[in-house]
Amino acid sequence: MRLLFIRHAIAAPAPRGMRDEDRPLTSAGVDSFRQTARVLARVARKPRAILTSPHLRAQQTADIAAQAWGHMRSIVVPALAEGDWPGICRALADYEDDDTVALVGHESWISTVTARFLGSRNHRAFDYRKGGAALIEAKDLHACKGALLWFIPPRVFRRLE
């Protein structure tokens, strides 16, 4: 299975009284990720599914990606909020070995899981910028073993557009 990890785009700071989960993307975040998503749709095979954290900013990012690939809907997976890997694996069990599945979530769990897939303990080596993405060929989901196919920061997506 190929896993397309996407970190949510730029979100607004939480004003007093707002829950972190409810923070929306900024207008700049929306515009920037629309550019990213257009390029992402060209460089990555259309995923079988887009799974997203329930946090608003991740759902908005997933919806923009879904629009870029056309006729897709994102699926909320609560385990993607905190990077609950066993829970994420349960959600991925519905897909075939030859599928590509996009996972939209948050730092620091995305970089930690990426590092684990590549046999590294240094998650900072895979620090995702907001709107960044990576494609991993997963050889063993439960053991987090795989190979990095590409890792693209948002500024490179913008240059590719």
Short mmCIF file of all heavy atoms in Angstrom, two decimals, residues 17-74:
data_model
loop_
_atom_site.label_atom_id
_atom_site.label_comp_id
_atom_site.label_asym_id
_atom_site.label_seq_id
_atom_site.Cartn_x
_atom_site.Cartn_y
_atom_site.Cartn_z
N GLY A 17 -10.96 31.00 24.07
CA GLY A 17 -12.23 30.30 24.12
C GLY A 17 -12.48 29.32 22.99
O GLY A 17 -13.40 28.52 23.06
N MET A 18 -11.67 29.38 21.93
CA MET A 18 -11.86 28.44 20.82
C MET A 18 -11.04 27.18 21.08
O MET A 18 -9.89 27.26 21.49
CB MET A 18 -11.40 29.05 19.49
CG MET A 18 -11.52 28.08 18.31
SD MET A 18 -10.84 28.74 16.77
CE MET A 18 -12.26 29.60 16.14
N ARG A 19 -11.64 26.05 20.83
CA ARG A 19 -10.92 24.79 20.97
C ARG A 19 -9.94 24.65 19.81
O ARG A 19 -10.22 25.08 18.69
CB ARG A 19 -11.89 23.60 20.95
CG ARG A 19 -12.86 23.60 22.08
CD ARG A 19 -13.84 22.44 22.03
NE ARG A 19 -14.22 22.09 20.67
CZ ARG A 19 -14.56 20.85 20.28
NH1 ARG A 19 -14.58 19.87 21.15
NH2 ARG A 19 -14.90 20.62 19.04
N ASP A 20 -8.80 24.03 20.06
CA ASP A 20 -7.80 23.82 19.03
C ASP A 20 -8.38 23.07 17.83
O ASP A 20 -8.06 23.37 16.69
CB ASP A 20 -6.61 23.04 19.61
CG ASP A 20 -5.54 22.78 18.58
OD1 ASP A 20 -5.00 23.77 18.03
OD2 ASP A 20 -5.27 21.60 18.29
N GLU A 21 -9.25 22.11 18.09
CA GLU A 21 -9.85 21.31 17.02
C GLU A 21 -10.67 22.14 16.04
O GLU A 21 -10.93 21.71 14.92
CB GLU A 21 -10.79 20.23 17.59
CG GLU A 21 -10.21 19.28 18.57
CD GLU A 21 -10.12 19.83 19.99
OE1 GLU A 21 -11.06 20.47 20.50
OE2 GLU A 21 -9.07 19.61 20.60
N ASP A 22 -11.12 23.30 16.47
CA ASP A 22 -12.02 24.12 15.67
C ASP A 22 -11.31 25.20 14.84
O ASP A 22 -11.98 25.99 14.17
CB ASP A 22 -13.07 24.79 16.58
CG ASP A 22 -13.94 23.78 17.28
OD1 ASP A 22 -14.16 22.67 16.73
OD2 ASP A 22 -14.40 24.06 18.40
N ARG A 23 -9.98 25.22 14.92
CA ARG A 23 -9.26 26.25 14.16
C ARG A 23 -9.38 26.00 12.66
O ARG A 23 -9.06 24.92 12.17
CB ARG A 23 -7.78 26.27 14.54
CG ARG A 23 -7.54 26.75 15.95
CD ARG A 23 -6.08 27.00 16.26
NE ARG A 23 -5.25 25.83 16.04
CZ ARG A 23 -4.14 25.82 15.30
NH1 ARG A 23 -3.71 26.92 14.71
NH2 ARG A 23 -3.43 24.73 15.18
N PRO A 24 -9.83 27.00 11.89
CA PRO A 24 -9.94 26.85 10.44
C PRO A 24 -8.64 27.23 9.74
O PRO A 24 -7.73 27.82 10.34
CB PRO A 24 -11.03 27.86 10.08
CG PRO A 24 -10.80 28.98 11.06
CD PRO A 24 -10.40 28.28 12.35
N LEU A 25 -8.57 26.91 8.46
CA LEU A 25 -7.45 27.39 7.64
C LEU A 25 -7.60 28.89 7.46
O LEU A 25 -8.72 29.42 7.43
CB LEU A 25 -7.46 26.72 6.26
CG LEU A 25 -7.27 25.22 6.22
CD1 LEU A 25 -7.29 24.74 4.76
CD2 LEU A 25 -5.98 24.80 6.89
N THR A 26 -6.48 29.57 7.32
CA THR A 26 -6.52 30.99 6.97
C THR A 26 -6.82 31.10 5.48
O THR A 26 -6.70 30.11 4.74
CB THR A 26 -5.17 31.67 7.25
OG1 THR A 26 -4.18 31.07 6.42
CG2 THR A 26 -4.77 31.56 8.72
N SER A 27 -7.18 32.28 5.02
CA SER A 27 -7.41 32.45 3.58
C SER A 27 -6.12 32.19 2.81
O SER A 27 -6.13 31.60 1.72
CB SER A 27 -8.00 33.81 3.25
OG SER A 27 -7.14 34.83 3.70
N ALA A 28 -4.98 32.60 3.39
CA ALA A 28 -3.68 32.32 2.74
C ALA A 28 -3.42 30.82 2.72
O ALA A 28 -2.88 30.29 1.74
CB ALA A 28 -2.56 33.04 3.47
N GLY A 29 -3.81 30.12 3.78
CA GLY A 29 -3.65 28.67 3.83
C GLY A 29 -4.48 27.98 2.76
O GLY A 29 -4.02 27.05 2.11
N VAL A 30 -5.71 28.44 2.58
CA VAL A 30 -6.59 27.88 1.55
C VAL A 30 -5.98 28.12 0.17
O VAL A 30 -5.86 27.19 -0.64
CB VAL A 30 -8.01 28.49 1.63
CG1 VAL A 30 -8.84 28.13 0.41
CG2 VAL A 30 -8.70 28.04 2.91
N ASP A 31 -5.58 29.35 -0.11
CA ASP A 31 -5.02 29.68 -1.43
C ASP A 31 -3.74 28.89 -1.70
O ASP A 31 -3.57 28.34 -2.79
CB ASP A 31 -4.72 31.18 -1.53
CG ASP A 31 -5.97 32.03 -1.54
OD1 ASP A 31 -7.07 31.48 -1.80
OD2 ASP A 31 -5.86 33.24 -1.27
N SER A 32 -2.86 28.84 -0.72
CA SER A 32 -1.60 28.12 -0.88
C SER A 32 -1.84 26.64 -1.10
O SER A 32 -1.22 26.02 -1.98
CB SER A 32 -0.74 28.35 0.36
OG SER A 32 0.44 27.59 0.28
N PHE A 33 -2.76 26.05 -0.32
CA PHE A 33 -2.97 24.61 -0.49
C PHE A 33 -3.72 24.29 -1.77
O PHE A 33 -3.55 23.20 -2.32
CB PHE A 33 -3.64 23.97 0.74
CG PHE A 33 -3.50 22.48 0.68
CD1 PHE A 33 -2.27 21.88 0.94
CD2 PHE A 33 -4.56 21.68 0.30
CE1 PHE A 33 -2.11 20.50 0.81
CE2 PHE A 33 -4.41 20.30 0.19
CZ PHE A 33 -3.18 19.72 0.44
N ARG A 34 -4.51 25.19 -2.27
CA ARG A 34 -5.14 24.95 -3.60
C ARG A 34 -4.05 24.79 -4.66
O ARG A 34 -4.16 23.92 -5.52
CB ARG A 34 -6.09 26.08 -3.96
CG ARG A 34 -7.43 25.95 -3.30
CD ARG A 34 -8.44 26.94 -3.84
NE ARG A 34 -9.68 26.77 -3.15
CZ ARG A 34 -10.41 27.76 -2.66
NH1 ARG A 34 -10.03 29.01 -2.82
NH2 ARG A 34 -11.54 27.51 -2.04
N GLN A 35 -3.03 25.64 -4.61
CA GLN A 35 -1.90 25.50 -5.54
C GLN A 35 -1.22 24.16 -5.33
O GLN A 35 -0.93 23.44 -6.29
CB GLN A 35 -0.87 26.62 -5.32
CG GLN A 35 -1.32 27.98 -5.73
CD GLN A 35 -0.23 29.00 -5.40
OE1 GLN A 35 0.35 29.01 -4.31
NE2 GLN A 35 0.05 29.86 -6.37
N THR A 36 -0.93 23.84 -4.08
CA THR A 36 -0.28 22.58 -3.75
C THR A 36 -1.10 21.40 -4.25
O THR A 36 -0.57 20.46 -4.85
CB THR A 36 -0.08 22.46 -2.22
OG1 THR A 36 0.85 23.46 -1.81
CG2 THR A 36 0.43 21.10 -1.81
N ALA A 37 -2.41 21.43 -4.01
CA ALA A 37 -3.28 20.32 -4.39
C ALA A 37 -3.31 20.11 -5.91
O ALA A 37 -3.37 18.96 -6.37
CB ALA A 37 -4.68 20.54 -3.85
N ARG A 38 -3.27 21.20 -6.67
CA ARG A 38 -3.24 21.06 -8.14
C ARG A 38 -1.99 20.30 -8.58
O ARG A 38 -2.05 19.42 -9.44
CB ARG A 38 -3.31 22.42 -8.82
CG ARG A 38 -4.70 23.03 -8.80
CD ARG A 38 -4.81 24.24 -9.72
NE ARG A 38 -3.99 25.36 -9.30
CZ ARG A 38 -4.41 26.33 -8.50
NH1 ARG A 38 -5.63 26.32 -8.01
NH2 ARG A 38 -3.62 27.33 -8.18
N VAL A 39 -0.85 20.63 -7.98
CA VAL A 39 0.39 19.93 -8.31
C VAL A 39 0.35 18.50 -7.76
O VAL A 39 0.74 17.55 -8.45
CB VAL A 39 1.63 20.69 -7.77
CG1 VAL A 39 2.90 19.90 -8.02
CG2 VAL A 39 1.71 22.07 -8.39
N LEU A 40 -0.14 18.35 -6.57
CA LEU A 40 -0.24 17.03 -5.95
C LEU A 40 -1.07 16.09 -6.83
O LEU A 40 -0.71 14.92 -7.02
CB LEU A 40 -0.88 17.17 -4.57
CG LEU A 40 -0.85 16.00 -3.62
CD1 LEU A 40 0.58 15.52 -3.38
CD2 LEU A 40 -1.49 16.39 -2.31
N ALA A 41 -2.14 16.59 -7.40
CA ALA A 41 -2.98 15.78 -8.28
C ALA A 41 -2.25 15.37 -9.56
O ALA A 41 -2.60 14.36 -10.16
CB ALA A 41 -4.27 16.53 -8.61
N ARG A 42 -1.23 16.13 -9.93
CA ARG A 42 -0.43 15.76 -11.12
C ARG A 42 0.67 14.77 -10.78
O ARG A 42 1.00 13.92 -11.60
CB ARG A 42 0.20 17.01 -11.75
CG ARG A 42 -0.79 17.89 -12.46
CD ARG A 42 -0.13 18.93 -13.38
NE ARG A 42 1.17 19.40 -12.97
CZ ARG A 42 1.43 20.63 -12.49
NH1 ARG A 42 0.46 21.50 -12.35
NH2 ARG A 42 2.64 20.98 -12.17
N VAL A 43 1.27 14.89 -9.60
CA VAL A 43 2.44 14.05 -9.28
C VAL A 43 2.09 12.78 -8.52
O VAL A 43 2.90 11.86 -8.47
CB VAL A 43 3.53 14.82 -8.49
CG1 VAL A 43 4.03 16.02 -9.29
CG2 VAL A 43 3.05 15.23 -7.11
N ALA A 44 0.89 12.71 -7.96
CA ALA A 44 0.50 11.52 -7.19
C ALA A 44 -0.75 10.89 -7.82
O ALA A 44 -1.69 11.61 -8.16
CB ALA A 44 0.21 11.90 -5.74
N ARG A 45 -0.70 9.59 -7.93
CA ARG A 45 -1.86 8.86 -8.44
C ARG A 45 -3.05 9.17 -7.54
O ARG A 45 -2.91 9.30 -6.32
CB ARG A 45 -1.53 7.36 -8.41
CG ARG A 45 -2.67 6.47 -8.79
CD ARG A 45 -2.24 5.04 -8.94
NE ARG A 45 -1.67 4.51 -7.70
CZ ARG A 45 -1.31 3.26 -7.54
NH1 ARG A 45 -1.43 2.41 -8.53
NH2 ARG A 45 -0.81 2.85 -6.40
N LYS A 46 -4.23 9.29 -8.15
CA LYS A 46 -5.44 9.56 -7.38
C LYS A 46 -5.60 8.47 -6.32
O LYS A 46 -5.61 7.28 -6.64
CB LYS A 46 -6.65 9.57 -8.29
CG LYS A 46 -7.95 9.91 -7.60
CD LYS A 46 -9.08 9.97 -8.61
CE LYS A 46 -10.39 10.33 -7.94
NZ LYS A 46 -11.48 10.45 -8.93
N PRO A 47 -5.70 8.87 -5.06
CA PRO A 47 -5.82 7.86 -4.01
C PRO A 47 -7.18 7.18 -4.03
O PRO A 47 -8.16 7.74 -4.53
CB PRO A 47 -5.62 8.66 -2.73
CG PRO A 47 -5.98 10.05 -3.07
CD PRO A 47 -5.67 10.23 -4.53
N ARG A 48 -7.20 5.98 -3.51
CA ARG A 48 -8.48 5.27 -3.37
C ARG A 48 -9.34 5.99 -2.35
O ARG A 48 -10.57 6.01 -2.46
CB ARG A 48 -8.20 3.84 -2.93
CG ARG A 48 -9.41 3.04 -2.54
CD ARG A 48 -9.88 2.13 -3.66
NE ARG A 48 -11.09 1.47 -3.30
CZ ARG A 48 -11.16 0.35 -2.59
NH1 ARG A 48 -10.06 -0.25 -2.19
NH2 ARG A 48 -12.32 -0.17 -2.31
N ALA A 49 -8.70 6.60 -1.34
CA ALA A 49 -9.44 7.32 -0.31
C ALA A 49 -8.56 8.41 0.29
O ALA A 49 -7.34 8.33 0.24
CB ALA A 49 -9.86 6.36 0.80
N ILE A 50 -9.23 9.43 0.84
CA ILE A 50 -8.55 10.48 1.60
C ILE A 50 -9.12 10.40 3.01
O ILE A 50 -10.30 10.69 3.24
CB ILE A 50 -8.79 11.88 1.01
CG1 ILE A 50 -8.30 11.95 -0.43
CG2 ILE A 50 -8.13 12.94 1.87
CD1 ILE A 50 -8.65 13.23 -1.15
N LEU A 51 -8.28 9.97 3.94
CA LEU A 51 -8.67 9.87 5.35
C LEU A 51 -8.14 11.11 6.06
O LEU A 51 -7.00 11.51 5.84
CB LEU A 51 -8.08 8.60 5.97
CG LEU A 51 -8.34 7.30 5.22
CD1 LEU A 51 -7.76 6.12 5.99
CD2 LEU A 51 -9.82 7.08 4.93
N THR A 52 -8.95 11.69 6.92
CA THR A 52 -8.56 12.94 7.56
C THR A 52 -8.85 12.95 9.06
O THR A 52 -9.79 12.30 9.52
CB THR A 52 -9.25 14.16 6.92
OG1 THR A 52 -8.81 15.35 7.55
CG2 THR A 52 -10.76 14.08 7.02
N SER A 53 -8.03 13.68 9.76
CA SER A 53 -8.27 13.99 11.17
C SER A 53 -9.61 14.72 11.28
O SER A 53 -10.00 15.44 10.36
CB SER A 53 -7.14 14.90 11.67
OG SER A 53 -7.51 15.61 12.82
N PRO A 54 -10.29 14.59 12.40
CA PRO A 54 -11.55 15.33 12.58
C PRO A 54 -11.35 16.83 12.84
O PRO A 54 -12.33 17.58 12.81
CB PRO A 54 -12.20 14.65 13.78
CG PRO A 54 -11.08 14.02 14.53
CD PRO A 54 -10.05 13.66 13.50
N HIS A 55 -10.12 17.28 13.07
CA HIS A 55 -9.89 18.71 13.31
C HIS A 55 -10.24 19.49 12.04
O HIS A 55 -9.90 19.08 10.93
CB HIS A 55 -8.45 18.97 13.71
CG HIS A 55 -8.09 18.38 15.04
ND1 HIS A 55 -6.93 18.69 15.70
CD2 HIS A 55 -8.72 17.50 15.85
CE1 HIS A 55 -6.88 18.04 16.84
NE2 HIS A 55 -7.95 17.30 16.95
N LEU A 56 -10.89 20.62 12.23
CA LEU A 56 -11.41 21.41 11.11
C LEU A 56 -10.34 21.72 10.07
O LEU A 56 -10.56 21.56 8.86
CB LEU A 56 -12.05 22.70 11.62
CG LEU A 56 -12.60 23.65 10.55
CD1 LEU A 56 -13.67 22.96 9.70
CD2 LEU A 56 -13.15 24.91 11.20
N ARG A 57 -9.16 22.14 10.49
CA ARG A 57 -8.11 22.52 9.53
C ARG A 57 -7.68 21.34 8.67
O ARG A 57 -7.36 21.50 7.50
CB ARG A 57 -6.93 23.16 10.26
CG ARG A 57 -6.26 22.26 11.29
CD ARG A 57 -5.34 23.09 12.19
NE ARG A 57 -4.69 22.30 13.22
CZ ARG A 57 -5.21 22.03 14.41
NH1 ARG A 57 -6.42 22.48 14.72
NH2 ARG A 57 -4.53 21.33 15.30
N ALA A 58 -7.66 20.15 9.23
CA ALA A 58 -7.31 18.95 8.46
C ALA A 58 -8.43 18.60 7.49
O ALA A 58 -8.18 18.26 6.33
CB ALA A 58 -7.01 17.78 9.39
N GLN A 59 -9.68 18.70 7.95
CA GLN A 59 -10.81 18.40 7.07
C GLN A 59 -10.84 19.37 5.88
O GLN A 59 -11.10 18.96 4.75
CB GLN A 59 -12.12 18.48 7.83
CG GLN A 59 -12.32 17.33 8.80
CD GLN A 59 -13.69 17.40 9.45
OE1 GLN A 59 -14.70 17.55 8.79
NE2 GLN A 59 -13.70 17.31 10.78
N GLN A 60 -10.58 20.64 6.15
CA GLN A 60 -10.56 21.62 5.06
C GLN A 60 -9.44 21.31 4.07
O GLN A 60 -9.63 21.41 2.86
CB GLN A 60 -10.41 23.04 5.62
CG GLN A 60 -11.64 23.51 6.37
CD GLN A 60 -11.41 24.86 7.03
OE1 GLN A 60 -10.35 25.12 7.62
NE2 GLN A 60 -12.42 25.71 6.97
N THR A 61 -8.28 20.93 4.57
CA THR A 61 -7.16 20.56 3.70
C THR A 61 -7.53 19.34 2.87
O THR A 61 -7.28 19.31 1.66
CB THR A 61 -5.90 20.29 4.56
OG1 THR A 61 -5.58 21.47 5.31
CG2 THR A 61 -4.71 19.89 3.71
N ALA A 62 -8.11 18.34 3.50
CA ALA A 62 -8.52 17.12 2.80
C ALA A 62 -9.55 17.43 1.72
O ALA A 62 -9.49 16.87 0.61
CB ALA A 62 -9.07 16.10 3.79
N ASP A 63 -10.48 18.33 2.01
CA ASP A 63 -11.51 18.67 1.03
C ASP A 63 -10.91 19.38 -0.18
O ASP A 63 -11.34 19.16 -1.32
CB ASP A 63 -12.60 19.53 1.67
CG ASP A 63 -13.45 18.74 2.66
OD1 ASP A 63 -13.42 17.48 2.63
OD2 ASP A 63 -14.14 19.38 3.48
N ILE A 64 -9.91 20.21 0.04
CA ILE A 64 -9.24 20.88 -1.08
C ILE A 64 -8.52 19.85 -1.94
O ILE A 64 -8.59 19.89 -3.18
CB ILE A 64 -8.26 21.97 -0.57
CG1 ILE A 64 -9.04 23.11 0.09
CG2 ILE A 64 -7.38 22.49 -1.72
CD1 ILE A 64 -8.17 24.09 0.87
N ALA A 65 -7.84 18.90 -1.31
CA ALA A 65 -7.17 17.83 -2.06
C ALA A 65 -8.19 17.00 -2.84
O ALA A 65 -7.96 16.66 -4.01
CB ALA A 65 -6.36 16.95 -1.12
N ALA A 66 -9.31 16.68 -2.21
CA ALA A 66 -10.35 15.89 -2.86
C ALA A 66 -10.87 16.60 -4.11
O ALA A 66 -11.11 15.96 -5.15
CB ALA A 66 -11.49 15.62 -1.89
N GLN A 67 -11.02 17.91 -4.04
CA GLN A 67 -11.47 18.69 -5.20
C GLN A 67 -10.45 18.63 -6.32
O GLN A 67 -10.80 18.53 -7.50
CB GLN A 67 -11.72 20.14 -4.82
CG GLN A 67 -12.92 20.36 -3.94
CD GLN A 67 -12.99 21.78 -3.40
OE1 GLN A 67 -12.15 22.63 -3.69
NE2 GLN A 67 -14.00 22.05 -2.59
N ALA A 68 -9.16 18.68 -5.97
CA ALA A 68 -8.11 18.65 -6.99
C ALA A 68 -8.09 17.33 -7.75
O ALA A 68 -7.82 17.31 -8.95
CB ALA A 68 -6.75 18.92 -6.35
N TRP A 69 -8.37 16.23 -7.05
CA TRP A 69 -8.41 14.92 -7.73
C TRP A 69 -9.76 14.70 -8.41
O TRP A 69 -9.87 13.86 -9.28
CB TRP A 69 -8.11 13.79 -6.75
CG TRP A 69 -6.66 13.51 -6.59
CD1 TRP A 69 -5.79 13.11 -7.56
CD2 TRP A 69 -5.89 13.61 -5.40
NE1 TRP A 69 -4.53 12.96 -7.05
CE2 TRP A 69 -4.57 13.26 -5.71
CE3 TRP A 69 -6.19 13.96 -4.09
CZ2 TRP A 69 -3.55 13.23 -4.77
CZ3 TRP A 69 -5.19 13.94 -3.15
CH2 TRP A 69 -3.88 13.58 -3.50
N GLY A 70 -10.77 15.41 -8.00
CA GLY A 70 -12.10 15.32 -8.60
C GLY A 70 -12.93 14.17 -8.08
O GLY A 70 -12.45 13.05 -7.93
N HIS A 71 -14.17 14.48 -7.78
CA HIS A 71 -15.17 13.48 -7.38
C HIS A 71 -14.72 12.60 -6.24
O HIS A 71 -14.87 11.38 -6.29
CB HIS A 71 -15.60 12.63 -8.58
CG HIS A 71 -16.07 13.45 -9.73
ND1 HIS A 71 -17.22 14.19 -9.69
CD2 HIS A 71 -15.52 13.66 -10.95
CE1 HIS A 71 -17.37 14.82 -10.84
NE2 HIS A 71 -16.37 14.52 -11.62
N MET A 72 -14.15 13.20 -5.24
CA MET A 72 -13.73 12.45 -4.05
C MET A 72 -14.33 13.13 -2.81
O MET A 72 -14.60 14.33 -2.83
CB MET A 72 -12.21 12.42 -3.91
CG MET A 72 -11.51 11.64 -4.97
SD MET A 72 -9.80 11.29 -4.50
CE MET A 72 -10.06 10.02 -3.26
N ARG A 73 -14.48 12.33 -1.78
CA ARG A 73 -14.89 12.84 -0.48
C ARG A 73 -13.90 12.34 0.54
O ARG A 73 -13.44 11.21 0.47
CB ARG A 73 -16.27 12.31 -0.11
CG ARG A 73 -17.37 12.92 -0.91
CD ARG A 73 -18.64 12.52 -0.27
NE ARG A 73 -19.49 13.70 -0.21
CZ ARG A 73 -20.77 13.65 -0.11
NH1 ARG A 73 -21.38 12.51 0.01
NH2 ARG A 73 -21.48 14.75 -0.08
N SER A 74 -13.61 13.19 1.50
CA SER A 74 -12.71 12.75 2.57
C SER A 74 -13.52 11.99 3.62
O SER A 74 -14.72 12.18 3.77
CB SER A 74 -12.00 13.95 3.18
OG SER A 74 -12.93 14.87 3.69
#
